[in-house]
């Protein structure tokens, strides 16, 4: 068993995420994981983040399957309806990637 979302592991964003989200929002997901979630609750290897319009600014809403813990983090970045509604952070044990829902391989 590995420790999920270890900040010392390699981190990436998929092509779909890079082409649809500004870098500061991608970085914010990693900051939220490292500063707000890690050590607070046990993290699964896949985390879900909804991007919500909060009066023209972005609120990232965190959840993970099987957990009642949810968290909304208000960010100082402008919201766009061009942003994806949801992104996932996935840790396979070697690298961590932020992906769009349609980029996750179904097994």
């Amino acid at each position: 068993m590995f420790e999920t979302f270890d900040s010392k592991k390699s981190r990436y964003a998929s092509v779909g995420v890079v082409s649809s989200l500004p870098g500061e929002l991608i970085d914010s997901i990693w900051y939220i994981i490292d500063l707000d979630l890690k050590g607070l609750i046990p993290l699964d290897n896949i985390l879900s983040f909804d991007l919500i319009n909060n009066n023209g600014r972005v609120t990232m809403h965190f959840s993970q399957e099987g957990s009642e813990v949810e968290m909304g983090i208000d960010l100082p970045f402008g919201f766009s309806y061009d942003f994806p509604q949801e992104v996932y952070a996935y840790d396979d044990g070697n690298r961590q990637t932020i992906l769009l829902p349609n980029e996750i391989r179904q097994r």
Side-chain angles (χ1 to χ4, degrees), residues 14-64:
S14 71
V15 172
V17 169
V18 170
S19 65
S20 63
L21 280 180
E24 59 264 9
L25 284 177
I26 297 168
D27 291 342
S28 293
I29 294 169
W30 297 125
Y31 292 135
I32 290 167
I33 291 169
D34 292 339
L35 302 176
D36 296 322
L37 299 176
K38 194 83 171 140
L40 178 68
I41 60 171
L43 296 177
D44 290 339
N45 70 327
I46 189 159
L47 310 176
S48 175
F49 294 90
D50 295 317
L51 283 77
I52 300 168
N53 183 0
N54 184 6
N55 297 316
R57 299 282 182 202
V58 173
T59 293
M60 286 272 184
H61 178 262
F62 158 79
S63 63
Q64 71 179 348

Side-chain angles (χ1 to χ4, degrees), residues 75-101:
L75 299 174
F77 307 114
F79 180 85
S80 170
Y81 286 100
D82 292 331
F83 294 162
Q85 292 181 343
E86 182 178 34
V87 296
Y88 294 108
Y90 175 69
D91 185 343
D92 72 2
N94 294 311
R95 66 180 134 204
Q96 302 159 38
T97 308
I98 299 172
L99 305 152
L100 297 176

